């Protein structure tokens, strides 16, 4: 079957088809960075010293013209499942400096962004120093403005050549990823404060728990996505073509887990003190009814990754909503407020996933994404306030949380949904590329600046 975008949106499928302060940050190693955070504060509303307050972006969603990526290709297929192509996106590739300045001016102290493998290694084994220098300049801009940079090495998109050879299904994917990690860290590692190998590598398994409306009860989104693969291969005349979300979930997971381990060693061999982790898409799963398969879902989707993360320096938690689980995932309760993605408006989800990730891994938690798709910024303000109240309860109970990075800095390219969902603290006029700061940005920036609710 072909994907119906409206259905996807309605049902809320989680689809995602310094130089100036250099001395302090450059010398920061994992141990030091983490121990700094254990300072206790006196005010009931205050956060720990050095708490990271930031916003996040991902290269493909904001940079524009990521023409060597698998996604660009998929967006331009005649029967594309993408609502629209990414095009110039937010032209962050050229406007990064003003965006970084804006984030700092708002009061934040951290910026999470991804480096684009399709730019850095546009042909297999060919690494572009010019593109690596581009990301080096972005990191310098962060340091000039006192922003701690958190760098994601792979946020969904891959180079075309990698997709043509089977993407994460291919047996040499872990070694190829490790080589890329080594090159990137050698070039950028001295300015990077936190590295994440992968963004939400658990997503394909999460999709196995989502049933689309109008499809067979035993079908799931992962299978629906995978069913697109043969048509895409035919259109491209590329028999091995694959991509993160249409790949064989099990093969891809095995290779990404190996890729994480090898990638982490490559990063550490280039810069041993750099804290490395990965980020997970985590719904706040809640059991519903006596036959709930809740525990089964948690073991299936998060289990192996949380186990792997026990060896890491931190775990990135990315949460948007809750999911009630009966025999399968249930729709939001009758009458619940829904976001633009069709998710239940449920900011308390964050508190629960932080506690779960912390308990399961025992490593420090950084909230690397949390946010809400809405045209109504007043709802974003409320969402953030309630999510942060939950995060604060975690801290008060002694849970080791090191930062809150909001998704997203800018209204950006929301994968197959195109530019419709608005997750940004800042809106973007895509004709003029003019940025307009929303109330939520000012509000969260103030909290960041005060380091207190
Ligand atoms: C992804 C982002 C995406 C966001 C909102 C996360 O799953 O990491 O790329 O834009 O959710 O849908």
């Amino acid at each position: 079957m072909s994907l119906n975008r409206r259905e996807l949106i309605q049902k809320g499928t989680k689809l995602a088809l310094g130089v100036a302060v250099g001395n302090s940050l450059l010398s920061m190693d994992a141990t030091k960075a983490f121990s700094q955070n254990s300072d206790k504060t006196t005010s009931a509303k205050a956060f720990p010293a050095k708490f990271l307050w930031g916003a996040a972006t991902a290269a493909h969603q904001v940079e524009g013209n990521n023409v060597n990526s698998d996604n660009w290709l998929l967006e331009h297929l005649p029967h594309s499942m993408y609502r629209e192509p990414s095009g110039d996106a937010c032209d962050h590739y050229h406007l990064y400096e003003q965006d970084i300045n804006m984030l700092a001016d708002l009061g934040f102290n951290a910026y999470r962004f991804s480096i684009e493998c399709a730019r850095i290694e546009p042909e297999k084994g060919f690494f572009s120093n010019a593109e690596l220098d581009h990301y080096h300049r972005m990191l310098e801009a962060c340091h000039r403005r006192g922003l701690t940079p958190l760098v994601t090495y792979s946020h969904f998109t891959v180079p075309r050549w990698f997709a043509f050879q089977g993407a994460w299904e291919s047996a040499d994917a872990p070694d190829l990823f490790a080589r890329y990690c080594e090159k990137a860290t050698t070039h950028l590692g001295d300015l990077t404060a936190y590295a994440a190998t992968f963004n939400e590598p658990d997503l394909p398994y999460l999709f196995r728990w989502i049933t689309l409306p109008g499809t067979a009860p035993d079908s799931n989104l992962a299978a629906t996505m995978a069913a697109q693969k043969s048509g895409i291969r035919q259109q491209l005349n590329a028999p091995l073509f694959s991509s993160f979300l249409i790949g064989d979930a099990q093969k891809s997971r095995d290779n990404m887990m190996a890729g994480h381990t090898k990638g982490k060693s490559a990063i550490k061999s280039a810069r041993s003190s750099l804290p490395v982790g990965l980020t997970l898409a985590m719904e706040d799963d809640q059991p519903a009814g006596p036959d709930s398969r809740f525990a089964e879902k948690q073991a299936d989707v998060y289990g192996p990754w949380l186990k792997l993360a026990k060896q890491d320096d931190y775990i990135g938690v990315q949460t948007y909503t809750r999911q009630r689980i009966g025999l399968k995932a249930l729709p939001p309760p009758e009458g619940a407020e829904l976001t633009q993605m069709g998710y239940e408006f449920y900011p308390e989800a964050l508190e629960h996933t932080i506690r779960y990730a912390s308990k399961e891994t025992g490593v420090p938690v950084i909230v690397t994404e949390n946010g809400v798709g809405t045209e109504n910024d007043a709802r974003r303000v409320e969402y953030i306030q309630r999510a942060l109240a939950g995060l604060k309860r975690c801290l008060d109970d002694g849970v080791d949380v090191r930062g809150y990075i909001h998704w997203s800095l800018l209204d950006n390219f929301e994968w197959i949904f195109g530019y419709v969902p608005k997750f940004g603290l800042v809106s973007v006029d895509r004709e003029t590329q003019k940025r307009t700061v929303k109330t939520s940005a000012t509000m969260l920036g103030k909290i960041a600046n005060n380091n207190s609710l």
Side-chain angles (χ1 to χ4, degrees):
M1 71 162 265
S2 70
L3 284 172
N4 173 330
R5 284 178 211 114
R6 184 169 303 126
E7 279 181 351
L8 285 174
I9 287 193
Q10 281 169 349
K11 270 296 164 184
T13 55
K14 181 136 181 71
L15 185 51
L17 269 182
V19 179
V21 291
N23 291 345
S24 58
L25 259 180
L26 301 186
S27 62
M28 183 164 70
D29 63 27
T31 330
K32 199 165 150 208
F34 288 162
S35 58
Q36 282 166 339
N37 263 348
S38 58
D39 298 354
K40 285 276 174 267
T41 44
T42 43
S43 154
K45 292 184 169 183
F47 278 62
K50 310 278 181 199
F51 193 80
L52 297 169
W53 292 102
T57 60
H60 188 78
Q61 295 178 267
V62 291
E63 285 182 344
N65 300 299
N66 188 16
V67 298
N68 278 317
S69 68
D70 58 339
N71 246 77
W72 186 272
L73 204 55
L74 294 169
E75 290 160 25
H76 288 275
L77 284 179
H79 305 293
S80 177
M81 52 192 166
Y82 287 76
R83 185 179 183 278
E84 56 192 320
S86 50
D88 285 340
C90 306
D91 199 19
H92 186 64
Y93 187 82
H94 297 105
L95 302 179
Y96 68 86
E97 182 136 30
Q98 88 172 44
D99 291 337
I100 285 169
N101 285 338
M102 179 174 64
L103 192 58
D105 289 343
L106 282 164
F108 292 88
N109 65 15
Y111 180 38
R112 172 178 180 246
F113 63 95
S114 72
I115 52 175
E116 180 53 66
C117 183
R119 293 187 195 274
I120 294 173
E121 191 180 0
E123 294 296 340
K124 189 172 185 174
F126 172 86
F127 289 86
S128 165
N129 282 328
E131 296 291 358
L132 284 164
D133 285 347
H134 168 80
Y135 291 113
H136 200 270
R137 286 190 293 272
M138 279 185 77
L139 288 162
E140 285 171 349
C142 288
H143 286 283
R144 269 198 297 278
R145 294 305 312 272
L147 295 177
T148 297
L150 296 91
V151 174
T152 309
Y153 283 54
S154 175
H155 193 125
F156 300 158
T157 43
V158 295
R160 287 182 188 216
W161 63 264
F162 187 75
F164 275 94
Q165 66 157 60
W168 299 107
E169 291 175 24
S170 160
D172 57 353
D175 288 324
L176 291 169
F177 180 66
R179 181 175 65 176
Y180 157 74
C181 287
E182 193 269 323
K183 293 272 184 205
T185 314
T186 302
H187 213 93
L188 308 170
D190 57 338
L191 293 182
T192 303
Y194 296 87
T197 52
F198 294 120
N199 180 72
E200 301 187 341
D202 58 330
L203 215 47
Y205 269 67
L206 192 62
F207 282 6
R208 304 202 316 182
W209 287 82
I210 295 171
T211 306
L212 292 178
T215 58
D218 58 346
S219 73
N220 63 63
L221 180 57
T224 307
M225 297 297 297
Q228 307 273 319
K229 197 159 61 179
S230 63
I232 290 171
R233 285 178 168 176
Q234 265 168 19
Q235 288 186 68
L236 293 171
N237 193 19
L240 298 178
F241 187 93
S242 193
S243 179
F244 178 55
L245 289 175
I246 58 172
D248 175 284
Q250 196 178 334
K251 265 193 212 162
S252 301
R253 180 162 84 183
D254 290 349
N255 284 330
M256 290 182 96
M257 289 183 75
H260 173 72
T261 304
K262 290 187 170 186
K264 186 169 74 171
S265 322
I267 293 170
K268 295 276 190 189
S269 71
R271 191 182 154 217
S272 58
S273 61
L274 179 54
V276 185
L278 52 84
T279 77
L280 291 182
M282 303 191 82
E283 292 177 326
D284 171 15
D285 296 311
Q286 299 183 0
D291 300 321
S292 174
R293 291 173 66 208
F294 152 84
E296 196 187 323
K297 178 195 168 182
Q298 294 210 314
D300 184 46
V301 179
Y302 318 118
W305 291 107
L306 291 170
K307 196 166 163 213
L308 195 61
K310 283 183 187 180
Q311 319 296 325
D312 290 348
D313 299 310
Y314 73 94
I315 173 90
V317 167
Q318 311 199 159
T319 298
Y320 291 87
T321 191
R322 74 164 163 172
Q323 180 64 68
R324 294 173 317 127
I325 313 283
L327 273 176
K328 54 183 197 169
L330 304 175
E334 198 73 25
E337 176 182 350
L338 301 184
T339 74
Q340 262 184 316
M341 301 293 278
Y343 305 158
E344 182 181 355
F345 184 94
Y346 192 81
E348 288 68 28
L350 184 63
E351 174 178 0
H352 304 151
T353 53
I354 290 173
R355 289 183 192 276
Y356 172 61
S358 166
K359 184 167 139 283
E360 293 296 315
T361 62
V363 298
V365 170
I366 301 176
V367 176
T368 39
E369 284 185 26
N370 175 246
V372 59
T374 178
E375 292 272 8
N376 181 350
D377 195 52
R379 300 310 293 143
R380 190 179 338 275
V381 167
E382 172 162 346
Y383 187 96
I384 293 172
Q385 287 170 339
R386 282 168 50 185
L388 289 180
L391 192 160
K392 185 65 171 64
R393 286 190 289 274
C394 295
L395 287 169
D396 292 345
D397 287 345
V399 181
D400 190 357
V401 192
R402 305 295 172 94
Y404 176 83
I405 314 288
H406 190 77
W407 183 270
S408 178
L409 174 59
L410 303 171
D411 284 340
N412 62 36
F413 181 70
E414 263 299 321
W415 308 108
I416 66 159
F417 306 115
Y419 290 95
V420 173
K422 308 290 187 218
F423 279 90
L425 295 168
V426 173
S427 68
V428 177
D429 179 326
R430 295 198 44 261
E431 280 304 309
T432 62
Q433 294 295 349
K434 183 174 178 301
R435 275 67 168 144
T436 305
V437 168
K438 302 181 192 176
T439 307
S440 53
T442 317
M443 184 273 301
L444 183 55
K446 218 181 211 168
I447 293 176
N449 198 38
N450 295 339
N451 198 30
S452 179
L453 291 179

